[in-house]
Amino acid sequence: MKIIQAKDYAGMSRKAANIVSAQIILFPNSVIGLATGSTPLGVYHQLVEWYRKDDLDFSKIRTVNLDEYSGLSPEHEQSYRYYMNQNLFRDVNIPMESTHLPNGMAQDYEAECKRYDQLITDLGGIDLQLLGIGHNGHIGFNEPDQAFDKTTHRVILNQRTIEANTRFFRNKEEVPKYALTMGIKAIMQARKILLVVSGADKAEILRRAMMGPITPSVPASIIQLHPDVTIVADEAALGRISLS
Ligand code: PGA
């Protein structure tokens, strides 16, 4: 596990964007696993800036996102499809048909989960998976205390996740209660993992994920077993870890 310390959120975003852009430059037809939430926003904005400077070409890149809320259409401003379109896809030259998220509107969610796993397989697996970590240790929407080995599945969102995400909705009742998420298995099968973490409020969960026991009660702890993990975190997020 490599740990790269950045001074602050802007530094974390640039360093992580450098790693993603190296992947894109070296392997222009990579499959990149993408994450949503506040943390990766700076990474996406930096990638867009470099694209505009003609430093990056997304034309052959394929993307698979970790998750999507159940019941939100792609046009809903809080859907992850909308987030990705707004923050990355519409601003770079990636063909929309090369961008994939679970379909949160699927009525038959079991069939949709199978389709998504098959899609990842058909793409040849994920070359680089960008991850954030939730305050409860979730990755994607793999919430605490679910078995580690799950493929794409529907989850009931944990109370803490609903509370954390209420800030994006008018009230708690509007936050979807279910989501479709890539499972731990697909995440662990990614060839490289890049975890981005910022802020003192993530310091304790980052310490538990990196140094604590590997346990489903901290889903992110599983990445200790992955052979190629890079963590880019700011000083505040690394506040409970001694790097010496
Ligand atoms: P955040 O979410 O970046 O908005 O803190 C992280 C996550 O829940 O994975």
mmCIF file with all atom_site columns, all heavy atoms in Angstrom, residues 218-234:
data_model
loop_
_atom_site.group_PDB
_atom_site.id
_atom_site.type_symbol
_atom_site.label_atom_id
_atom_site.label_alt_id
_atom_site.label_comp_id
_atom_site.label_asym_id
_atom_site.label_entity_id
_atom_site.label_seq_id
_atom_site.pdbx_PDB_ins_code
_atom_site.Cartn_x
_atom_site.Cartn_y
_atom_site.Cartn_z
_atom_site.occupancy
_atom_site.B_iso_or_equiv
_atom_site.pdbx_formal_charge
_atom_site.auth_seq_id
_atom_site.auth_comp_id
_atom_site.auth_asym_id
_atom_site.auth_atom_id
_atom_site.pdbx_PDB_model_num
ATOM 1   N N   . VAL A 1 218 ? -15.944 -2.675 8.702  1.00 0.00 ? 218 VAL A N   1
ATOM 2   C CA  . VAL A 1 218 ? -15.270 -1.543 8.028  1.00 0.00 ? 218 VAL A CA  1
ATOM 3   C C   . VAL A 1 218 ? -14.983 -2.022 6.598  1.00 0.00 ? 218 VAL A C   1
ATOM 4   O O   . VAL A 1 218 ? -13.893 -2.523 6.312  1.00 0.00 ? 218 VAL A O   1
ATOM 5   C CB  . VAL A 1 218 ? -13.942 -1.157 8.739  1.00 0.00 ? 218 VAL A CB  1
ATOM 6   C CG1 . VAL A 1 218 ? -13.303 0.044  8.035  1.00 0.00 ? 218 VAL A CG1 1
ATOM 7   C CG2 . VAL A 1 218 ? -14.169 -0.856 10.210 1.00 0.00 ? 218 VAL A CG2 1
ATOM 8   N N   . PRO A 1 219 ? -15.964 -1.900 5.697  1.00 0.00 ? 219 PRO A N   1
ATOM 9   C CA  . PRO A 1 219 ? -15.784 -2.497 4.360  1.00 0.00 ? 219 PRO A CA  1
ATOM 10  C C   . PRO A 1 219 ? -14.470 -2.103 3.684  1.00 0.00 ? 219 PRO A C   1
ATOM 11  O O   . PRO A 1 219 ? -13.833 -2.932 3.022  1.00 0.00 ? 219 PRO A O   1
ATOM 12  C CB  . PRO A 1 219 ? -17.002 -1.978 3.587  1.00 0.00 ? 219 PRO A CB  1
ATOM 13  C CG  . PRO A 1 219 ? -18.041 -1.759 4.643  1.00 0.00 ? 219 PRO A CG  1
ATOM 14  C CD  . PRO A 1 219 ? -17.302 -1.290 5.865  1.00 0.00 ? 219 PRO A CD  1
ATOM 15  N N   . ALA A 1 220 ? -14.034 -0.853 3.861  1.00 0.00 ? 220 ALA A N   1
ATOM 16  C CA  . ALA A 1 220 ? -12.806 -0.413 3.184  1.00 0.00 ? 220 ALA A CA  1
ATOM 17  C C   . ALA A 1 220 ? -11.570 -1.164 3.680  1.00 0.00 ? 220 ALA A C   1
ATOM 18  O O   . ALA A 1 220 ? -10.527 -1.157 3.007  1.00 0.00 ? 220 ALA A O   1
ATOM 19  C CB  . ALA A 1 220 ? -12.599 1.088  3.372  1.00 0.00 ? 220 ALA A CB  1
ATOM 20  N N   . SER A 1 221 ? -11.658 -1.811 4.834  1.00 0.00 ? 221 SER A N   1
ATOM 21  C CA  . SER A 1 221 ? -10.480 -2.514 5.360  1.00 0.00 ? 221 SER A CA  1
ATOM 22  C C   . SER A 1 221 ? -10.041 -3.647 4.429  1.00 0.00 ? 221 SER A C   1
ATOM 23  O O   . SER A 1 221 ? -8.879  -4.061 4.454  1.00 0.00 ? 221 SER A O   1
ATOM 24  C CB  . SER A 1 221 ? -10.751 -3.072 6.766  1.00 0.00 ? 221 SER A CB  1
ATOM 25  O OG  . SER A 1 221 ? -11.800 -4.023 6.726  1.00 0.00 ? 221 SER A OG  1
ATOM 26  N N   . ILE A 1 222 ? -10.946 -4.123 3.579  1.00 0.00 ? 222 ILE A N   1
ATOM 27  C CA  . ILE A 1 222 ? -10.603 -5.211 2.665  1.00 0.00 ? 222 ILE A CA  1
ATOM 28  C C   . ILE A 1 222 ? -9.471  -4.817 1.725  1.00 0.00 ? 222 ILE A C   1
ATOM 29  O O   . ILE A 1 222 ? -8.695  -5.672 1.282  1.00 0.00 ? 222 ILE A O   1
ATOM 30  C CB  . ILE A 1 222 ? -11.856 -5.667 1.853  1.00 0.00 ? 222 ILE A CB  1
ATOM 31  C CG1 . ILE A 1 222 ? -11.604 -6.961 1.072  1.00 0.00 ? 222 ILE A CG1 1
ATOM 32  C CG2 . ILE A 1 222 ? -12.318 -4.612 0.877  1.00 0.00 ? 222 ILE A CG2 1
ATOM 33  C CD1 . ILE A 1 222 ? -11.649 -8.192 1.880  1.00 0.00 ? 222 ILE A CD1 1
ATOM 34  N N   . ILE A 1 223 ? -9.346  -3.532 1.444  1.00 0.00 ? 223 ILE A N   1
ATOM 35  C CA  . ILE A 1 223 ? -8.320  -3.147 0.460  1.00 0.00 ? 223 ILE A CA  1
ATOM 36  C C   . ILE A 1 223 ? -6.903  -3.369 0.990  1.00 0.00 ? 223 ILE A C   1
ATOM 37  O O   . ILE A 1 223 ? -5.951  -3.334 0.223  1.00 0.00 ? 223 ILE A O   1
ATOM 38  C CB  . ILE A 1 223 ? -8.493  -1.722 -0.117 1.00 0.00 ? 223 ILE A CB  1
ATOM 39  C CG1 . ILE A 1 223 ? -8.235  -0.662 0.932  1.00 0.00 ? 223 ILE A CG1 1
ATOM 40  C CG2 . ILE A 1 223 ? -9.843  -1.546 -0.808 1.00 0.00 ? 223 ILE A CG2 1
ATOM 41  C CD1 . ILE A 1 223 ? -8.179  0.751  0.344  1.00 0.00 ? 223 ILE A CD1 1
ATOM 42  N N   . GLN A 1 224 ? -6.770  -3.641 2.289  1.00 0.00 ? 224 GLN A N   1
ATOM 43  C CA  . GLN A 1 224 ? -5.441  -4.028 2.807  1.00 0.00 ? 224 GLN A CA  1
ATOM 44  C C   . GLN A 1 224 ? -4.921  -5.270 2.082  1.00 0.00 ? 224 GLN A C   1
ATOM 45  O O   . GLN A 1 224 ? -3.724  -5.512 2.022  1.00 0.00 ? 224 GLN A O   1
ATOM 46  C CB  . GLN A 1 224 ? -5.508  -4.315 4.309  1.00 0.00 ? 224 GLN A CB  1
ATOM 47  C CG  . GLN A 1 224 ? -5.786  -3.098 5.175  1.00 0.00 ? 224 GLN A CG  1
ATOM 48  C CD  . GLN A 1 224 ? -5.900  -3.483 6.664  1.00 0.00 ? 224 GLN A CD  1
ATOM 49  O OE1 . GLN A 1 224 ? -5.200  -4.374 7.128  1.00 0.00 ? 224 GLN A OE1 1
ATOM 50  N NE2 . GLN A 1 224 ? -6.774  -2.802 7.381  1.00 0.00 ? 224 GLN A NE2 1
ATOM 51  N N   . LEU A 1 225 ? -5.851  -6.060 1.557  1.00 0.00 ? 225 LEU A N   1
ATOM 52  C CA  . LEU A 1 225 ? -5.455  -7.314 0.884  1.00 0.00 ? 225 LEU A CA  1
ATOM 53  C C   . LEU A 1 225 ? -5.184  -7.123 -0.605 1.00 0.00 ? 225 LEU A C   1
ATOM 54  O O   . LEU A 1 225 ? -4.768  -8.058 -1.282 1.00 0.00 ? 225 LEU A O   1
ATOM 55  C CB  . LEU A 1 225 ? -6.566  -8.362 1.046  1.00 0.00 ? 225 LEU A CB  1
ATOM 56  C CG  . LEU A 1 225 ? -6.870  -8.801 2.474  1.00 0.00 ? 225 LEU A CG  1
ATOM 57  C CD1 . LEU A 1 225 ? -8.032  -9.790 2.483  1.00 0.00 ? 225 LEU A CD1 1
ATOM 58  C CD2 . LEU A 1 225 ? -5.641  -9.421 3.126  1.00 0.00 ? 225 LEU A CD2 1
ATOM 59  N N   . HIS A 1 226 ? -5.450  -5.926 -1.115 1.00 0.00 ? 226 HIS A N   1
ATOM 60  C CA  . HIS A 1 226 ? -5.257  -5.700 -2.550 1.00 0.00 ? 226 HIS A CA  1
ATOM 61  C C   . HIS A 1 226 ? -3.775  -5.431 -2.839 1.00 0.00 ? 226 HIS A C   1
ATOM 62  O O   . HIS A 1 226 ? -3.122  -4.687 -2.106 1.00 0.00 ? 226 HIS A O   1
ATOM 63  C CB  . HIS A 1 226 ? -6.124  -4.520 -3.009 1.00 0.00 ? 226 HIS A CB  1
ATOM 64  C CG  . HIS A 1 226 ? -6.203  -4.383 -4.493 1.00 0.00 ? 226 HIS A CG  1
ATOM 65  N ND1 . HIS A 1 226 ? -5.173  -3.849 -5.241 1.00 0.00 ? 226 HIS A ND1 1
ATOM 66  C CD2 . HIS A 1 226 ? -7.171  -4.730 -5.371 1.00 0.00 ? 226 HIS A CD2 1
ATOM 67  C CE1 . HIS A 1 226 ? -5.521  -3.868 -6.518 1.00 0.00 ? 226 HIS A CE1 1
ATOM 68  N NE2 . HIS A 1 226 ? -6.720  -4.407 -6.625 1.00 0.00 ? 226 HIS A NE2 1
ATOM 69  N N   . PRO A 1 227 ? -3.229  -6.012 -3.930 1.00 0.00 ? 227 PRO A N   1
ATOM 70  C CA  . PRO A 1 227 ? -1.783  -5.876 -4.167 1.00 0.00 ? 227 PRO A CA  1
ATOM 71  C C   . PRO A 1 227 ? -1.335  -4.516 -4.696 1.00 0.00 ? 227 PRO A C   1
ATOM 72  O O   . PRO A 1 227 ? -0.141  -4.218 -4.682 1.00 0.00 ? 227 PRO A O   1
ATOM 73  C CB  . PRO A 1 227 ? -1.494  -6.958 -5.218 1.00 0.00 ? 227 PRO A CB  1
ATOM 74  C CG  . PRO A 1 227 ? -2.812  -7.235 -5.866 1.00 0.00 ? 227 PRO A CG  1
ATOM 75  C CD  . PRO A 1 227 ? -3.872  -6.955 -4.848 1.00 0.00 ? 227 PRO A CD  1
ATOM 76  N N   . ASP A 1 228 ? -2.240  -3.671 -5.169 1.00 0.00 ? 228 ASP A N   1
ATOM 77  C CA  . ASP A 1 228 ? -1.794  -2.404 -5.753 1.00 0.00 ? 228 ASP A CA  1
ATOM 78  C C   . ASP A 1 228 ? -2.734  -1.258 -5.368 1.00 0.00 ? 228 ASP A C   1
ATOM 79  O O   . ASP A 1 228 ? -3.599  -0.858 -6.152 1.00 0.00 ? 228 ASP A O   1
ATOM 80  C CB  . ASP A 1 228 ? -1.693  -2.541 -7.276 1.00 0.00 ? 228 ASP A CB  1
ATOM 81  C CG  . ASP A 1 228 ? -0.981  -1.359 -7.925 1.00 0.00 ? 228 ASP A CG  1
ATOM 82  O OD1 . ASP A 1 228 ? -0.807  -0.311 -7.252 1.00 0.00 ? 228 ASP A OD1 1
ATOM 83  O OD2 . ASP A 1 228 ? -0.598  -1.471 -9.095 1.00 0.00 ? 228 ASP A OD2 1
ATOM 84  N N   . VAL A 1 229 ? -2.548  -0.789 -4.145 1.00 0.00 ? 229 VAL A N   1
ATOM 85  C CA  . VAL A 1 229 ? -3.400  0.291  -3.635 1.00 0.00 ? 229 VAL A CA  1
ATOM 86  C C   . VAL A 1 229 ? -2.558  1.538  -3.432 1.00 0.00 ? 229 VAL A C   1
ATOM 87  O O   . VAL A 1 229 ? -1.477  1.480  -2.836 1.00 0.00 ? 229 VAL A O   1
ATOM 88  C CB  . VAL A 1 229 ? -4.018  -0.076 -2.262 1.00 0.00 ? 229 VAL A CB  1
ATOM 89  C CG1 . VAL A 1 229 ? -4.820  1.096  -1.697 1.00 0.00 ? 229 VAL A CG1 1
ATOM 90  C CG2 . VAL A 1 229 ? -4.897  -1.301 -2.374 1.00 0.00 ? 229 VAL A CG2 1
ATOM 91  N N   . THR A 1 230 ? -3.052  2.661  -3.916 1.00 0.00 ? 230 THR A N   1
ATOM 92  C CA  . THR A 1 230 ? -2.437  3.946  -3.608 1.00 0.00 ? 230 THR A CA  1
ATOM 93  C C   . THR A 1 230 ? -3.477  4.787  -2.882 1.00 0.00 ? 230 THR A C   1
ATOM 94  O O   . THR A 1 230 ? -4.610  4.921  -3.351 1.00 0.00 ? 230 THR A O   1
ATOM 95  C CB  . THR A 1 230 ? -1.992  4.665  -4.902 1.00 0.00 ? 230 THR A CB  1
ATOM 96  O OG1 . THR A 1 230 ? -1.089  3.809  -5.602 1.00 0.00 ? 230 THR A OG1 1
ATOM 97  C CG2 . THR A 1 230 ? -1.293  5.983  -4.583 1.00 0.00 ? 230 THR A CG2 1
ATOM 98  N N   . ILE A 1 231 ? -3.077  5.317  -1.745 1.00 0.00 ? 231 ILE A N   1
ATOM 99  C CA  . ILE A 1 231 ? -3.968  6.206  -1.003 1.00 0.00 ? 231 ILE A CA  1
ATOM 100 C C   . ILE A 1 231 ? -3.408  7.616  -1.132 1.00 0.00 ? 231 ILE A C   1
ATOM 101 O O   . ILE A 1 231 ? -2.233  7.847  -0.813 1.00 0.00 ? 231 ILE A O   1
ATOM 102 C CB  . ILE A 1 231 ? -4.048  5.809  0.485  1.00 0.00 ? 231 ILE A CB  1
ATOM 103 C CG1 . ILE A 1 231 ? -4.610  4.382  0.601  1.00 0.00 ? 231 ILE A CG1 1
ATOM 104 C CG2 . ILE A 1 231 ? -4.895  6.803  1.276  1.00 0.00 ? 231 ILE A CG2 1
ATOM 105 C CD1 . ILE A 1 231 ? -4.640  3.835  2.007  1.00 0.00 ? 231 ILE A CD1 1
ATOM 106 N N   . VAL A 1 232 ? -4.208  8.515  -1.626 1.00 0.00 ? 232 VAL A N   1
ATOM 107 C CA  . VAL A 1 232 ? -3.806  9.926  -1.659 1.00 0.00 ? 232 VAL A CA  1
ATOM 108 C C   . VAL A 1 232 ? -4.706  10.644 -0.667 1.00 0.00 ? 232 VAL A C   1
ATOM 109 O O   . VAL A 1 232 ? -5.930  10.660 -0.836 1.00 0.00 ? 232 VAL A O   1
ATOM 110 C CB  . VAL A 1 232 ? -3.942  10.539 -3.059 1.00 0.00 ? 232 VAL A CB  1
ATOM 111 C CG1 . VAL A 1 232 ? -3.472  11.991 -3.035 1.00 0.00 ? 232 VAL A CG1 1
ATOM 112 C CG2 . VAL A 1 232 ? -3.136  9.748  -4.085 1.00 0.00 ? 232 VAL A CG2 1
ATOM 113 N N   . ALA A 1 233 ? -4.098  11.169 0.378  1.00 0.00 ? 233 ALA A N   1
ATOM 114 C CA  . ALA A 1 233 ? -4.892  11.782 1.448  1.00 0.00 ? 233 ALA A CA  1
ATOM 115 C C   . ALA A 1 233 ? -4.225  13.066 1.902  1.00 0.00 ? 233 ALA A C   1
ATOM 116 O O   . ALA A 1 233 ? -2.998  13.201 1.814  1.00 0.00 ? 233 ALA A O   1
ATOM 117 C CB  . ALA A 1 233 ? -5.022  10.810 2.616  1.00 0.00 ? 233 ALA A CB  1
ATOM 118 N N   . ASP A 1 234 ? -5.037  13.981 2.402  1.00 0.00 ? 234 ASP A N   1
ATOM 119 C CA  . ASP A 1 234 ? -4.423  15.212 2.899  1.00 0.00 ? 234 ASP A CA  1
ATOM 120 C C   . ASP A 1 234 ? -3.975  15.032 4.353  1.00 0.00 ? 234 ASP A C   1
ATOM 121 O O   . ASP A 1 234 ? -4.296  14.022 5.002  1.00 0.00 ? 234 ASP A O   1
ATOM 122 C CB  . ASP A 1 234 ? -5.328  16.428 2.657  1.00 0.00 ? 234 ASP A CB  1
ATOM 123 C CG  . ASP A 1 234 ? -6.671  16.320 3.348  1.00 0.00 ? 234 ASP A CG  1
ATOM 124 O OD1 . ASP A 1 234 ? -6.810  15.512 4.284  1.00 0.00 ? 234 ASP A OD1 1
ATOM 125 O OD2 . ASP A 1 234 ? -7.589  17.056 2.933  1.00 0.00 ? 234 ASP A OD2 1
#
